[in-house]
Amino acid sequence: MLRYLPFLLILALTIYAFIDCLNTPEEEVKHLPKTVWVLIILLFSIVGPVVWLFAGRKRSAVGGGGGGRARRQQWVAPDDNPEFLKSLREEQERTKGEDADKDPDGDKGKDKDKGGE
């Protein structure tokens, strides 16, 4: 069983690189067209996948910005998210404005009830 391990590792690396190459958008592929990379990965069993993983695709540092397609933003807690806090302030100002529009006299309505007694 142990003698098959190197073959299985090479096969797994080739399959991973092949699928990664197929799923990579054309604009992120470096140096060569995507079809050429697929052929290199499939024809050169060890070297092809390794070269693809290190040189064939634009990769950015984890957490680093810039380059490539638009990245998904990492989840931020609501109390740390400036956009969420801004939306809360805007909603609070809007509800204050609506409350003022509904009762323009403020507490005067209550005073009228008391005055009638």
Side-chain angles (χ1 to χ4, degrees):
M1 176 68 185
L2 196 56
R3 66 180 131 163
Y4 299 117
L5 186 62
F7 174 73
L8 292 175
L9 289 176
I10 293 168
L11 183 65
L13 177 66
T14 303
I15 291 171
Y16 174 78
F18 178 70
I19 292 172
D20 187 45
C21 182
L22 290 178
N23 289 333
T24 301
E26 189 71 40
E27 54 273 359
E28 287 188 18
V29 176
K30 294 190 320 184
H31 306 297
L32 297 171
K34 193 171 175 179
T35 54
V36 175
W37 277 115
V38 168
L39 291 174
I40 289 173
I41 291 169
L42 293 177
L43 294 176
F44 304 102
S45 65
I46 298 173
V47 177
V50 171
V51 172
W52 163 255
L53 292 174
F54 286 107
R57 178 179 178 183
K58 292 180 185 175
R59 301 194 191 270
S60 61
V62 175
R69 63 184 166 175
R71 294 193 148 296
R72 292 183 190 163
Q73 292 183 354
Q74 189 174 8
W75 185 82
V76 179
D79 58 340
D80 292 336
N81 188 341
E83 293 175 15
F84 178 73
L85 295 174
K86 181 182 175 185
S87 70
L88 284 179
R89 279 191 299 273
E90 291 171 354
E91 183 177 339
Q92 191 175 30
E93 290 172 2
R94 188 179 70 241
T95 55
K96 283 182 183 178
E98 289 175 1
D99 290 344
D101 291 341
K102 287 180 183 176
D103 189 15
D105 297 333
D107 291 337
K108 292 180 183 176
K110 294 179 183 176
D111 293 339
K112 290 180 184 176
D113 293 339
K114 290 182 181 178
E117 290 179 18

